[in-house]
Amino acid sequence: MIDPVCAFGLASAIVTLLDTGAKVVKRLQELSEAGDIPEVFRDIQTRLPLLKRYILYTQSRTDTLSPESGEEVLAVVRRCLEQVRQLDELLQKVAVLDRESAFRRSIRAFVSVSEEGRFQKIATALIDNVQVLSTFLNVAPVEKEKPKVERWLSEPLPSYASVAGLFLVPFSRDEQFVGRQKLLEKIALSFKAQSRVAISGIGGIGKSQVAIEYCYRYKESRPEAHVLWVYGGNIARFYQGYKRIAQRLEIPGWDDPEKSILELVENWLSNTTGSYLLVIDNADNIEHWWPGKYKTGGSLDDPSKNLSMYIPDDSDNIQVLITTRDLRVATRLVRKGKPIAVEPMSSEEAKVLFLSKLGREEAGSEQAEIQKLLEELDNLPLAVSQAAAFIEESKISIKKYTDTLHGEGAEEYLNEELNDSRRDEESVNCVFRTWKISYEQIKRQQAPAAELLCLLAMLDRQSIPRSILKVPEVTTSLNVLMSFNLVTARAGAESFQIHRLVQRFVQHSLQRDNETQKWQEMALACVANDYPTEIGVAEWPVCDAFAPHVHVLTGYNYQTEKGRLDLAHLLCWAADFDIERGMYKQALKRASESLRIFRELAFERDQRLAAATWLCGRLRYYQAQRSSDLDVAAELLQEALRISTYPSLNYAESAFELAHLNYDRGNKMACLEMGKASFECWKELEGPDSVRTLDNMHDYALELAMLGDEERGIAIWEEILDRCPASDASKETKTVYTYRSMASIAEFKGEAAMAEIFYSNLITLGEAMYHSEHIHLFDYRLSHAEQIMRQGKLKEAAQLSKAILASCKNNFEWQITSCSLQTVAECCRLKGCYGFEEGFRLSALELHEKKLGRHHRDTINAQEALAECYLNNSKLPEAKELYQTVISWREVELGRTHADTLRAIECLGVCHAHHGHHAEAEAAFIEAIGRQSDAHGRLLDNLYTSLWNQAKWKTLESWSKQACTPSAHYSLTTALDQQGKKTEALEDDSPEDLVRLTSSLGFTDPG
């Protein structure tokens, strides 16, 4: 906390500084109104309001300063005060009074010029002090917290928490684990020769239990190493496991939805020098691992990718343990050596396991009965454990349990699907008989528990969140299911899992009783009702946890109207989360199906229909390649706007997307109308100071400024600065809004140096708030590099842009890579290094073609930029070809009279002219002029030059008479003179022509 004496001194200095600064601003205004003033005066006049806002912000942050930082900040503020006082004194010397004579006024004007150097030094010192001040404000808090890493509720808190290595096994150790010693030793021995080991066997054989025990033994022997666990049964669960690893290891970029989590984790695992054990459990579906060789079996956007690509490479410091039922998967993943087959327990091991689960010793009379039961169960660990649990819970004899296995109806729970080449048929029969007995007993004694089991069977079998189990007596029912070993609690008891074969057993039971549809719809309702409908960073963990269950539930066929409406609701918001993760193809597929169902079943003004319509329009816009695609997107967004209630999220988001779409199409009025409608809607919905209102105000201000109305844009940014203190945002977010608005004001006022300072502050602050590779930080870094480029510091700007390129190499946010390439290319162009520029332009074009296709508007713009580079580099044939491609596309998609189309035609004319093809150049310039009512003077100058070079004096005379510009006048005079009309030429001569005679003719590039 800042020292009270220091705080009083700082407050006093700030008050005095603000008062003196106001006087200086007033004097500068008076001087400006009196006549021309030196440029440095205007410079200070522009900077002081920004300094005022910065000082006010400093005043609001004094309570966060440490004693040391407080002293430093006080010193900086006092220096600023002294500089402002010096300005006030100097201005008194040059101030013009109404009563003064012309002589006195001239004296003061002379003084102002002579003192200009001192003014410049003071202005420079003010900038330096503001930068120092901003540095202290960024580090002023006594303690900075790193972004909190979420701890999964299902995650254990073992005794290893204090050591360096993470332990991410989501299961508690089985204190009653018995046997399997030879198997564990064989696994350890195999790892001495290879880094990948696979154990394979039928379901229920105990592969996962062996893997869990191996993890705990590995951790005991190597406490410094990481132990990581991933479920490999489907793509969604595999992705979730890797996401968890990235989060807990704090791998750079883990919290960026546009990053490829799979590539990120695989790269870290393959390159780390530390030791770790990675378990990939239940890697059973071969289609998920090699979809190119077998049929596609996942939900990744790119079917050519497969999970086998994301297992780390061989290394001496790593161990990868894989469990699977499929011997083909095991053999291919291991690559070296043979998989280890997991056999049923020995009779002695099974007996020890059975008695340990019973919790008592063997009675002499039970020896034969136990032996008979274990033989019937084929010593399968899962069947043995479940039998023991049932006997203990139900208090029945071992003989009665064994006899029941042979009762009527036991075989009906076995079906052909489970009877494949990878399972022992007799063993599966025994497991199913065991489960039937348990299931029937639960139905009789605890019906809600049986119903809960039916519900669980319809979801993904692992990591079922307790929060979605909205059923009666859920705690009691879960305890019953766990006591029969049908359901297992993951550590923390906040999520649960059901064994694969138990799940299938229940599913077949429901199918036999014609109750499958009922429970599918109940499970769907549980997830749909709990799924977030406004998805931000805070909702990502919930959506991540729901993702595997969404994947399962959206694959069912629902018959009732309620079921289909619940499905449409879930598809809609799951698609919204897909957008957050950058999975646009899957998002569009889900959103389109959601819209189809809502259009069929919902009434017109149903807000669920409005949400699905907005989402489809948004996705169509993001993936549009032609103007017809934009037409479809615009129609959907307009429809969403029409049917949305006001104010609402649907209305605000639809207007927001329409603003951006109209900006891309060059519809200025529609863009501004929709941009304003969006933030006005948020203002009505959440208040003028809410986070989303301020965010949308910023977007609207940016649209205004980029469309030429900088004054109104700056006014809105200033309003944001005024509203920030009352906002419901966090202190850090308010600071971001403050810096962002100040940066925008400086940028559009042409204050590149000041804008650079604020963007630098945003980067520093953002690194404390987000991860270093967060998308917002990439935006700030790009803007920072751009402001440096605008100051002519091209080498520094290029270096910063190349650093951004290196850090976002594997980032899904490919637009950042594209912008970085274009910034480096522009620096090369400004330096005249066209050869280097060409390389970056080509890379940018290839990236656009890959991500957007050859016919997307941004791809065409990239082609035009490359064409200009070719033109500057004298590669005229290449430039012509690209310009012709650009013109052809724009004439169809944008229109023959669109400004971008006309610019490309003019550039093609310049290209012809540089090639010496003046007739073709003339034709291109005349074509461009003929398509517009008021041609730009530059275009006319290019036409005059092409006519001059062809000695077409008569035509030049005719064209020159149609314009009233100095160049037209000179061209007319020359044309008349060349035709021997000297009298007319002399009549048209002017002093300006004498100046132009000294200039050589040349073509002006419109780019």
Side-chain angles (χ1 to χ4, degrees):
M1 192 68 183
I2 187 171
D3 180 79
V5 176
C6 178
F8 178 82
L10 182 57
S12 176
I14 287 175
V15 169
T16 307
L17 175 57
L18 292 174
D19 181 64
T20 309
K23 293 179 182 178
V24 171
V25 171
K26 183 178 179 181
R27 293 185 190 280
L28 286 171
Q29 183 64 32
E30 291 172 350
L31 283 172
S32 179
E33 292 171 356
D36 289 338
I37 60 175
E39 188 61 30
V40 67
F41 286 24
R42 300 185 189 278
D43 187 43
I44 294 172
Q45 188 177 14
T46 303
R47 295 182 190 279
L48 281 178
L50 292 175
L51 174 62
K52 175 184 175 182
R53 293 190 178 279
Y54 211 104
I55 292 298
L56 287 172
Y57 177 65
T58 303
Q59 192 175 31
S60 69
R61 290 286 305 274
T62 54
D63 60 335
T64 66
L65 297 174
S66 66
E68 295 77 15
S69 297
E71 293 290 340
E72 295 289 346
V73 170
L74 175 59
V76 175
V77 171
R78 283 174 173 168
R79 286 200 297 270
C80 289
L81 175 58
E82 179 59 30
Q83 288 146 10
V84 172
R85 281 173 172 165
Q86 291 177 24
L87 282 175
D88 188 45
E89 292 173 1
L90 286 172
L91 287 172
Q92 288 181 34
K93 294 181 180 180
V94 300
V96 178
L97 304 177
D98 292 338
R99 63 179 182 275
E100 288 183 332
S101 64
F103 176 75
R104 292 296 300 172
R105 289 171 183 262
S106 63
I107 292 294
R108 288 186 182 275
F110 176 80
V111 172
S112 70
V113 173
S114 64
E115 296 289 354
E116 189 171 352
R118 289 186 63 191
F119 274 101
Q120 186 63 61
K121 289 181 181 180
I122 294 172
T124 302
L126 275 174
I127 295 175
D128 293 340
N129 281 323
V130 167
Q131 190 165 12
V132 172
L133 187 62
S134 68
T135 303
F136 277 107
L137 289 176
N138 276 339
V139 299
V142 178
E143 180 178 346
K144 271 189 176 178
E145 293 185 357
K146 294 182 178 179
K148 294 182 179 178
V149 178
E150 170 202 62
R151 189 183 77 79
W152 286 35
L153 295 176
S154 59
E155 184 183 318
L157 293 174
S159 59
Y160 313 118
S162 61
V163 298
L166 293 177
F167 190 76
L168 300 186
V169 179
F171 305 99
S172 301
R173 191 172 194 173
D174 186 358
E175 300 299 333
Q176 296 176 329
F177 184 86
V178 296
R180 303 299 198 186
Q181 183 61 33
K182 290 183 179 179
L183 177 58
L184 290 165
E185 291 174 355
K186 192 172 184 179
I187 293 171
L189 184 62
S190 297
F191 274 129
K192 292 183 178 180
Q194 60 201 63
S195 62
R196 294 186 186 181
V197 173
I199 56 176
S200 64
I202 64 172
I205 200 69
K207 302 181 295 295
S208 297
Q209 297 302 315
V210 170
I212 293 169
E213 179 62 21
Y214 185 84
C215 287
Y216 279 88
R217 296 189 182 190
Y218 177 91
K219 188 63 176 177
E220 288 174 344
S221 63
R222 303 182 187 182
E224 79 287 349
H226 298 306
V227 179
L228 314 173
W229 187 282
V230 176
Y231 176 73
N234 62 55
I235 293 175
R237 291 291 302 157
F238 187 89
Y239 177 92
Q240 188 182 38
Y242 265 46
K243 179 71 175 288
R244 181 192 183 201
I245 291 172
Q247 180 186 31
R248 291 303 310 278
L249 290 173
E250 298 185 37
I251 298 175
W254 72 265
D255 58 346
D256 190 336
E258 304 302 332
K259 281 279 190 181
S260 170
I261 288 295
L262 300 181
E263 293 178 359
L264 198 68
V265 174
E266 187 276 333
N267 182 62
W268 188 93
L269 293 174
S270 297
N271 293 286
T272 184
T273 56
S275 299
Y276 66 84
L277 165 65
L278 170 65
V279 176
I280 302 175
D281 190 35
N282 292 110
D284 300 327
N285 193 336
I286 199 168
E287 297 172 2
H288 294 164
W289 297 90
W290 297 278
K293 183 171 182 178
Y294 302 89
K295 75 175 184 178
T296 302
S299 62
L300 285 178
D301 277 350
D302 185 357
S304 66
K305 291 188 177 181
N306 54 69
L307 297 186
S308 65
M309 297 169 55
Y310 303 108
I311 301 179
D313 295 329
D314 294 341
S315 177
D316 294 337
N317 62 311
I318 70 172
Q319 293 185 12
V320 179
L321 179 61
I322 303 156
T323 75
T324 178
R325 290 182 296 148
D326 193 331
L327 186 60
R328 296 173 300 170
V329 175
T331 302
R332 292 191 64 178
L333 286 181
V334 169
R335 297 190 299 200
K336 298 177 182 179
K338 294 182 178 180
I340 300 173
V342 182
E343 302 293 345
M345 283 182 161
S346 66
S347 298
E348 189 59 30
E349 287 178 334
K351 182 178 177 180
V352 174
L353 175 63
F354 179 76
L355 292 173
S356 69
K357 297 298 181 183
L358 280 179
R360 58 184 173 85
E361 296 182 356
E362 175 188 19
S365 59
E366 293 179 326
Q367 184 173 357
E369 295 298 333
I370 292 175
Q371 184 64 32
K372 183 178 180 180
L373 173 60
L374 296 178
E375 288 176 1
E376 186 70 19
L377 298 176
D378 200 20
N379 295 333
L380 286 177
L382 179 61
V384 170
S385 298
Q386 288 181 327
F390 182 86
I391 292 168
E392 178 65 17
E393 177 74 18
S394 303
K395 307 302 180 185
I396 63 172
S397 67
I398 298 173
K399 182 179 184 304
K400 184 174 181 180
Y401 185 93
T402 306
D403 293 340
T404 308
L405 289 177
H406 298 282
E408 293 182 2
E411 291 292 333
E412 70 187 60
Y413 287 84
L414 177 65
N415 64 46
E416 185 177 353
E417 179 191 356
L418 297 176
N419 188 20
D420 61 35
S421 60
R422 294 167 295 171
R423 298 185 185 87
D424 182 88
E425 183 175 354
E426 192 64 26
S427 297
V428 173
N429 284 342
C430 293
V431 173
F432 269 41
R433 290 173 192 169
T434 300
W435 292 332
K436 181 194 174 186
I437 296 169
S438 300
Y439 182 58
E440 293 294 338
Q441 181 74 12
I442 293 170
K443 283 178 69 176
R444 288 195 303 271
Q445 296 182 353
Q446 191 70 31
E451 292 174 354
L452 178 59
L453 186 62
C454 295
L455 180 67
L456 296 175
M458 297 299 109
L459 300 166
D460 184 85
R461 71 180 192 86
Q462 286 203 338
S463 293
I464 303 171
R466 187 189 184 108
S467 62
I468 67 173
L469 302 178
K470 302 293 194 301
V471 295
E473 304 179 33
V474 63
T475 302
T476 302
S477 298
L478 284 169
N479 288 336
V480 171
L481 296 177
M482 287 188 291
S483 70
F484 280 92
N485 285 330
L486 294 174
V487 170
T488 303
R490 297 174 74 94
E494 291 300 325
S495 66
F496 302 86
Q497 69 174 24
I498 178 173
H499 191 278
R500 178 186 295 102
L501 294 182
V502 174
Q503 182 185 48
R504 291 184 181 178
F505 158 75
V506 176
Q507 290 173 346
H508 297 317
S509 300
L510 295 174
Q511 185 177 9
R512 183 199 64 179
D513 297 335
N514 294 319
E515 290 192 331
T516 300
Q517 184 71 34
K518 167 189 171 183
W519 290 105
Q520 285 176 346
E521 291 194 3
M522 289 191 68
L524 173 66
C526 285
V527 176
N529 292 338
D530 239 34
Y531 203 91
T533 55
E534 292 188 28
I535 299 173
V537 176
E539 287 73 36
W540 288 351
V542 177
C543 295
D544 258 336
F546 281 17
H549 308 294
V550 172
H551 174 71
V552 171
L553 291 169
T554 54
Y556 295 144
N557 183 26
Y558 300 94
Q559 302 297 326
T560 68
E561 180 175 320
K562 182 183 183 305
R564 295 182 66 205
L565 286 172
D566 283 343
L567 173 63
H569 174 81
L570 182 58
L571 284 168
C572 178
W573 296 110
D576 196 19
F577 182 55
D578 288 336
I579 295 174
E580 296 285 324
R581 296 188 293 175
M583 301 175 70
Y584 295 113
K585 291 182 180 178
Q586 178 170 288
L588 182 57
K589 181 179 178 181
R590 285 175 166 174
S592 299
E593 177 64 11
S594 173
L595 180 58
R596 185 188 68 80
I597 296 172
F598 279 133
R599 279 178 170 172
E600 178 185 344
L601 300 177
F603 62 90
E604 184 182 14
R605 300 304 295 269
D606 190 319
Q607 291 309 289
R608 295 175 299 177
L609 172 61
T613 307
W614 151 63
L615 200 61
C616 273
R618 178 186 180 192
L619 285 161
R620 293 287 184 189
Y621 167 43
Y622 288 177
Q623 296 185 280
Q625 293 200 24
R626 299 181 180 274
S627 61
S628 57
D629 298 330
L630 289 176
D631 290 339
V632 172
E635 288 174 7
L636 286 167
L637 291 169
Q638 289 286 3
E639 180 186 351
L641 203 66
R642 180 180 60 82
I643 64 179
S644 296
T645 58
Y646 185 89
S648 67
L649 178 146
N650 294 333
Y651 188 97
E653 293 293 356
S654 299
F656 176 82
E657 298 298 346
L658 276 169
H660 285 269
L661 188 151
N662 281 300
Y663 178 85
D664 286 347
R665 302 185 96 171
N667 299 334
K668 177 178 178 180
M669 296 304 297
C671 167
L672 297 180
E673 179 186 355
M674 289 295 97
K676 185 176 182 181
S678 178
F679 91 76
E680 290 287 357
C681 182
W682 283 120
K683 183 189 294 185
E684 185 75 18
L685 189 64
E686 297 185 348
D689 304 322
S690 77
V691 171
R692 288 191 284 200
T693 300
L694 295 180
D695 261 338
N696 280 262
M697 284 180 69
H698 173 79
D699 287 327
Y700 180 55
L702 193 60
E703 289 157 3
L704 282 167
M706 293 182 70
L707 289 171
D709 198 344
E710 293 92 346
E711 185 176 343
R712 286 176 63 197
I714 289 171
I716 292 177
W717 279 313
E718 289 175 342
E719 184 180 349
I720 293 173
L721 289 172
D722 293 336
R723 292 188 180 279
C724 269
S727 172
D728 57 356
S730 65
K731 183 181 293 186
E732 291 79 7
T733 302
K734 291 179 184 179
T735 307
V736 168
Y737 287 178
T738 301
Y739 284 154
R740 189 174 65 179
S741 298
M742 287 180 171
S744 300
I745 292 171
E747 181 176 348
F748 283 95
K749 280 189 172 182
E751 289 288 337
M754 187 63 74
E756 176 194 346
I757 293 173
F758 290 123
Y759 281 122
S760 177
N761 293 339
L762 278 168
I763 293 169
T764 304
L765 182 62
E767 286 173 345
M769 291 178 62
Y770 316 117
H771 192 274
S772 60
E773 304 301 326
H774 195 279
I775 184 64
H776 291 341
L777 278 173
F778 280 124
D779 286 336
Y780 301 151
R781 289 167 182 158
L782 276 172
S783 298
H784 182 239
E786 184 179 348
Q787 299 310 310
I788 290 174
M789 180 180 70
R790 289 182 178 180
Q791 298 174 67
K793 297 183 284 187
L794 303 179
K795 182 177 180 180
E796 183 181 351
Q799 288 174 341
L800 289 172
S801 299
K802 288 177 181 178
I804 297 171
L805 276 174
S807 62
C808 68
K809 183 178 180 181
N810 297 318
N811 196 298
F812 266 71
E813 190 63 34
W814 64 270
Q815 291 92 337
I816 296 296
T817 301
S818 172
C819 291
S820 301
L821 287 168
Q822 292 176 64
T823 302
V824 179
E826 185 64 12
C827 290
C828 293
R829 185 188 71 81
L830 293 172
K831 290 191 292 186
C833 302
Y834 302 122
F836 290 108
E837 180 194 359
E838 180 183 332
F840 292 109
R841 297 289 186 197
L842 279 169
S843 297
L845 177 58
E846 290 170 1
L847 184 60
H848 278 86
E849 289 178 342
K850 178 182 177 182
K851 296 295 184 179
L852 300 176
R854 298 179 62 86
H855 304 292
H856 194 278
R857 179 174 179 169
D858 290 345
T859 305
I860 299 300
N861 292 341
Q863 287 182 335
E864 184 180 42
L866 178 60
E868 182 184 349
C869 175
Y870 283 148
L871 179 59
N872 291 332
N873 207 20
S874 299
K875 293 188 175 183
L876 302 179
E878 293 90 340
K880 280 184 183 180
E881 182 180 356
L882 279 177
Y883 277 129
Q884 287 166 347
T885 301
V886 171
I887 293 168
S888 298
W889 185 90
R890 286 179 175 168
E891 285 180 333
V892 174
E893 301 297 334
L894 302 181
R896 291 170 54 81
T897 60
H898 193 279
D900 291 348
T901 306
L902 298 177
R903 185 181 68 247
I905 294 173
E906 185 180 358
C907 287
L908 178 61
V910 174
C911 191
H912 284 310
H914 282 297
H915 218 193
H917 300 160
H918 300 298
E920 289 89 339
E922 175 192 350
F925 296 142
I926 291 176
E927 178 71 19
I929 293 170
R931 294 188 187 185
Q932 51 190 306
S933 58
D934 186 17
H936 193 281
R938 180 199 62 244
L939 177 56
L940 291 170
D941 287 347
N942 283 335
L943 174 61
Y944 300 156
T945 304
S946 68
L947 294 171
W948 183 302
N949 287 332
Q950 297 175 82
K952 288 188 173 183
W953 309 118
K954 183 75 174 177
T955 308
L956 178 59
E957 176 189 350
S958 175
W959 276 103
S960 299
K961 287 179 177 180
Q962 298 179 32
C964 298
T965 63
S967 60
H969 180 79
Y970 176 64
S971 296
L972 176 59
T973 301
T974 305
L976 292 171
D977 184 60
Q978 291 294 328
Q979 295 177 76
K981 302 177 182 180
K982 296 188 179 297
T983 302
E984 296 178 52
L986 289 172
E987 291 175 356
D988 283 298
D989 246 348
S990 67
E992 289 82 2
D993 294 332
L994 300 176
V995 177
R996 292 182 60 84
L997 284 172
T998 62
S999 304
S1000 61
L1001 288 172
F1003 291 92
T1004 304
D1005 185 351

